[in-house]
Amino acid sequence: MSTSKRLTNWDLLRALSMFLVVVVHIAPQLGSFRNINASAIASTAAIICDPIFFCLSGYFALKPLKKSYKDYLFGKALSLLLPIFIYATLLYAYKAATGQLQDTNYIRYTSSLVQGGWWFVPALIPFILVAPVLSKMFDALDDRTCKIALFVTLGIYAWGGLSSAANSLLINSQHVTFAAAISMLQRIIPQSLLGGTYFTFFCMGYFVKRVNPLLNRQEAWFIKTAGISFFIIDIVSAYFGLERSDPSFNWMIVTVAIFVASDGIKLQSQSLSKTIEWVAKRSYSIYLLQYATIEFATNVIYAGALNGGYAAIAWPLRLATWILATAVAYGLALVVASVVDPLIIKPIQKKLRSCATFISNN
């Protein structure tokens, strides 16, 4: 498989993951259809964007350094931190102009964004700091060891997802003895490599990249089938309130399956490939903008056009309305990012790189 095709496939995943971020946060607007909580199903299904994001980050970050570590950190600061302050400033100005600011202190406003909706970034930074060291460690492993590591990880997380669901079902059905046995095994057999963190997903980005070409057809089919199964298990577990961790154990199998499936996608259209690449480049900015654009879309469509009468219309129209609001929120974020990124962020990044080069040469 050519490098250009491979990169396009991962661009497709980047674009998809950020679209799913929008779906997660606008899902509460969906409501229920025929006594089925569609909001819960949509948000649980779309939350797979979280592990995909961290796995993709590891996929691209876990590689040998081509420059000094200082230059590496400077580059990551430009790509990760600079957009935060630029978009925080733009959002602050927008909120101030529309009279939506409750606290006019810019620092507190930006702090609330970073500690709230923009939590992805501070969660990712520690992983980025150690990525070059991890890359050297992982590169020292042979292919067979990497393949074993991937399947062992999948097995451990599969046990975590299945045992958690089984334990809840046994407790709910008052089979306390069997539940106690499962609980004991959960203490003896690990349910995850690192609980309560996305670090394993970040590392898995490397192993997916390394092992994917080594998988035979049966192994790839097995992983994809397991991914579909655990995706269903995760949605059912969340919907019926069964025990789940955060991050969910099931997400590891689903995420790896998505990456394996993506590797087999063949994109023949050059125009489609370029479109996907263009959208993928705006993914980070879409993430930073999507809370504001979701708020705008819901205010215009639900409160404005429907005048609060969303609950009274038939469910097919409610579904169509929600799809329209999702498309508007995502599309508006993409449009704004397509203007701000090349006209504001990119020139500032270029200028800061030039300044850094000048300082290092003198």
Side-chain angles (χ1 to χ4, degrees):
M1 181 172 56
S2 66
T3 303
S4 59
K5 175 179 173 295
R6 182 186 296 272
L7 290 177
T8 301
N9 289 352
W10 304 145
D11 285 337
L12 177 61
L13 271 184
R14 289 169 63 192
L16 175 63
S17 65
M18 285 307 144
F19 175 74
L20 291 179
V21 168
V22 176
V23 172
V24 168
H25 295 133
I26 203 170
Q29 302 293 334
L30 186 55
S32 297
F33 302 141
R34 299 178 183 271
N35 295 321
I36 296 175
N37 190 343
S39 292
I41 295 173
S43 61
T44 304
I47 198 67
I48 195 64
C49 62
D50 286 7
I52 289 176
F53 171 84
F54 284 99
C55 197
L56 273 172
S57 300
Y59 181 96
F60 290 109
L62 291 167
K63 58 185 178 182
L65 282 177
K66 294 183 179 179
K67 47 194 173 183
S68 69
Y69 184 64
K70 180 180 70 173
D71 291 336
Y72 164 80
L73 291 180
F74 181 70
K76 292 300 180 184
L78 290 183
S79 60
L80 281 176
L81 301 183
L82 178 64
I84 281 182
F85 293 103
I86 290 176
Y87 277 107
T89 301
L90 293 175
L91 290 171
Y92 178 88
Y94 165 74
K95 294 280 189 179
T98 55
Q100 300 180 54
L101 273 181
Q102 296 180 345
D103 186 349
T104 57
N105 186 295
Y106 170 76
I107 300 298
R108 285 198 294 266
Y109 175 76
T110 304
S111 175
S112 67
L113 291 175
V114 173
Q115 296 182 64
W118 293 357
W119 68 270
F120 272 40
V121 182
L124 180 63
I125 287 174
F127 309 160
I128 294 296
L129 292 177
V130 298
V133 178
L134 291 174
S135 178
K136 277 200 169 186
M137 292 169 56
F138 295 156
D139 284 343
L141 302 174
D142 58 64
D143 288 345
R144 183 172 180 272
T145 302
C146 287
K147 195 171 184 180
I148 291 172
L150 183 139
F151 278 101
V152 168
T153 302
L154 292 180
I156 290 173
Y157 278 82
W159 157 250
L162 291 174
S163 65
S164 296
N167 191 49
S168 288
L169 288 172
L170 289 170
I171 291 174
N172 292 341
S173 59
Q174 297 184 348
H175 289 85
V176 292
T177 301
F178 289 115
I182 293 291
S183 182
M184 177 182 64
L185 288 174
Q186 286 178 326
R187 300 298 180 270
I188 297 173
I189 305 172
Q191 296 174 271
S192 69
L193 298 181
L194 286 171
T197 175
Y198 284 97
F199 184 64
T200 313
F201 291 91
F202 179 80
C203 294
M204 186 53 69
Y206 174 91
F207 288 96
V208 168
K209 176 170 57 178
R210 180 89 175 265
V211 175
N212 233 342
L214 307 175
L215 297 174
N216 59 43
R217 184 175 299 178
Q218 290 76 19
E219 290 168 335
W221 178 86
F222 175 77
I223 290 174
K224 287 184 281 188
T225 303
I228 294 172
S229 301
F230 278 89
F231 186 60
I232 295 171
I233 290 171
D234 196 64
I235 294 174
V236 171
S237 297
Y239 191 85
F240 292 102
L242 301 183
E243 179 186 345
R244 289 167 74 244
S245 64
D246 186 15
S248 171
F249 299 129
N250 304 311
W251 292 347
M252 180 61 73
I253 298 90
V254 179
T255 301
V256 173
I258 289 172
F259 273 71
V260 172
S262 298
D263 197 51
I265 296 174
K266 296 180 180 179
L267 298 174
Q268 304 295 343
S269 171
Q270 287 289 344
S271 58
L272 178 60
S273 297
K274 289 180 180 178
T275 301
I276 291 172
E277 182 182 0
W278 173 71
V279 173
K281 286 181 179 179
R282 316 296 171 216
S283 295
Y284 183 48
S285 296
I286 290 172
Y287 162 62
L288 298 177
L289 285 164
Q290 44 94 25
Y291 280 103
T293 58
I294 287 173
E295 182 182 27
F296 176 84
T298 53
N299 285 339
V300 169
I301 295 174
Y302 289 95
L306 294 178
N307 195 26
Y310 173 75
I313 62 178
W315 76 262
L317 292 177
R318 282 191 285 139
L319 177 60
T321 301
W322 180 80
I323 292 173
L324 175 62
T326 304
V328 169
Y330 182 80
L332 181 58
L334 176 60
V335 169
V336 174
S338 299
V339 174
V340 174
D341 284 6
L343 297 183
I344 298 178
I345 294 180
K346 193 172 181 180
I348 295 176
Q349 289 173 332
K350 186 177 180 181
K351 185 66 175 178
L352 291 174
R353 285 192 181 98
S354 298
C355 293
T357 302
F358 177 80
I359 292 171
S360 63
N361 292 335
N362 291 277

